[in-house]
Amino acid sequence: MRAARNRCGATAVCAAFVASLLAVAGCAAPGGQAKAPDPSKAQKAELSWKFEHIADFNGELTDVAVLAEDDIWAVGAENDGSYSSLLLHYDGERWSREPFPEALGTGESYPPILEQVGDKALWMRSSPRKEGVPQEDAAAAKWAQWDGTRWSPVPNPPPGPAGDLDAASPDDIWTLTGEQTAAHWDGTRWTTTRLPYKVADLAVAGPGDVWAVGNRSTGPGTKTVHGETYPQPASAHWDGTSWKPVDTPQARFEEPIPPEPVAGLGRVVALEGGEVRAYGGNSFNHGEGEPEPEDQHIRLRWDGAKWAHQAPAPGQCEQRTPVGQEKGGIFLDGNWYLTDDDRCVKITRQRLPLSTGARKASNQMLWLKEIHRIPGTDEWIGAGKVDVMQSGDPFGAPVVVRLERG
């Protein structure tokens, strides 16, 4: 699978909906934290994130692209009181700050977004005001491409307010452009298609094999409750010619149904071997009455013919979603790893050296925005920040990490 982002990649209309569902489902940034069962149920750690680079400023890295061992790019923000964005590059020998491509113009206050559309193909675009959410001003996004030597403008960027890109190859790229529209690049032109439901996420499983998930407000299970419809999970599949609705399991609370219920899918992941998984939740407007039921997690997998419910993963892996895959297991958000033999492993981390200003007594938390495999290897690189919580001088240390095994 591609190293999945936990950005919704949909429209502003569904952004709040997706955020609430992913909160229910336990999704967080790849290095974030989410409520989960007792950590004592996790197996002894066999993996660890080691510092590859600690940037010399207070802030964070917000995105990373790994084209090769000697061609890694990262963008971030320096919190020096004005929140200024910056670009870093690793050439195999050292990390250095680089100017942003001329195609992006000047005056970027938010870090741009890196879109890896192939092992050797990298696009960069100016960022909308909110990460991953297309907005009206995102229609004017500026785009640049890296060819391994230099940056240049993207000749045919996506039309309109594009969300995150997902690609089978540089000539087979998909993106959501609205709450019910998606655009496809075939190497020659962009074609806009309409989906049967409101969608929150999209995943490319292969050429002519694309999945989209979200919710629907009509059809079975949406019967009016308290004067309002009860949205239900929905999915659609692109078979190479058109989007087809796919029967998706309903999710409803038992009577008495709580106020303002909403069920839906906010994340879809295409794994290797053709497996597709979808995640979401069934929630409601809390605080409106008693007793209140527990929010429900939705975890589905495509078995080749229909959606089936996933068996819960063990321990703290139960409520987490995939952010990367390799032979032997799946990386999950929050620095967890689920082995193919169903063991839940915590990926440990280093503490910052004292030279960074982090004291021995400080509390430190590693938050990774993204992880990527170095092409052609079993090496993994992640980027984000270490939050240093200490009296008088807390700060964020932007970091690049490398996975160490054994």
Side-chain angles (χ1 to χ4, degrees), residues 108-376:
E108 276 293 309
S109 58
Y110 292 87
I113 296 171
L114 299 174
E115 299 282 8
Q116 199 164 336
V117 295
D119 282 349
K120 300 294 183 181
L122 176 62
W123 291 4
M124 181 191 296
R125 61 163 158 174
S126 56
S127 176
R129 286 194 173 91
K130 189 171 183 181
E131 188 177 84
V133 181
Q135 299 178 16
E136 290 182 5
D137 60 350
K142 300 178 179 65
W143 295 77
Q145 62 182 355
W146 173 252
D147 63 6
T149 304
R150 65 185 183 90
W151 291 97
S152 61
V154 174
N156 295 290
D164 294 328
L165 306 188
D166 200 350
S169 73
D171 293 333
D172 188 1
I173 305 172
W174 284 87
T175 182
L176 297 178
T177 55
E179 64 180 10
Q180 272 188 260
T181 57
H184 177 239
W185 171 253
D186 63 5
T188 304
R189 64 190 180 96
W190 289 95
T191 302
T192 298
T193 59
R194 185 167 180 81
L195 293 109
Y197 308 117
K198 292 182 179 179
V199 293
D201 197 19
L202 175 151
V204 176
D209 185 7
V210 188
W211 290 85
V213 298
N215 76 334
R216 57 180 173 81
S217 56
T218 60
T222 60
K223 181 180 177 181
T224 300
V225 178
H226 308 302
E228 299 178 343
T229 59
Y230 192 158
Q232 288 296 301
S235 60
H237 180 250
W238 176 265
D239 60 8
T241 57
S242 63
W243 289 103
K244 302 291 197 306
V246 177
D247 288 339
T248 309
Q250 298 176 31
R252 289 178 64 93
F253 292 107
E254 298 290 337
E255 297 286 352
I257 296 176
E260 301 178 41
V262 55
L265 299 172
R267 178 85 188 284
V268 61
V269 179
L271 299 175
E272 295 175 5
E275 185 178 355
V276 178
R277 299 184 184 184
Y279 300 85
N282 184 23
S283 189
F284 61 96
N285 187 6
H286 291 264
E288 295 292 316
E290 296 289 344
E292 291 190 341
E294 293 289 329
D295 286 336
Q296 299 174 356
H297 306 281
I298 302 174
R299 295 179 291 267
L300 304 175
R301 63 176 179 82
W302 183 253
D303 65 8
K306 66 182 185 305
W307 287 111
H309 291 283
Q310 290 183 50
Q316 291 214 21
C317 293
E318 179 181 358
Q319 296 176 13
R320 301 184 180 276
T321 57
V323 295
Q325 183 186 18
E326 64 177 4
K327 182 179 180 180
I330 296 174
F331 294 89
L332 304 174
D333 65 76
N335 297 322
W336 290 87
Y337 186 91
L338 182 64
T339 67
D340 286 347
D341 59 358
D342 214 32
R343 290 186 302 117
C344 182
V345 175
K346 176 64 176 177
I347 305 177
T348 61
R349 58 170 175 79
Q350 287 180 297
R351 286 181 61 84
L352 291 169
L354 299 180
S355 58
T356 63
R359 305 188 196 115
K360 288 184 178 180
S362 65
N363 292 320
Q364 299 180 21
M365 183 75 72
L366 173 65
W367 299 90
L368 296 180
K369 285 289 188 176
E370 289 208 26
I371 66 171
H372 290 281
R373 188 206 308 261
I374 299 175

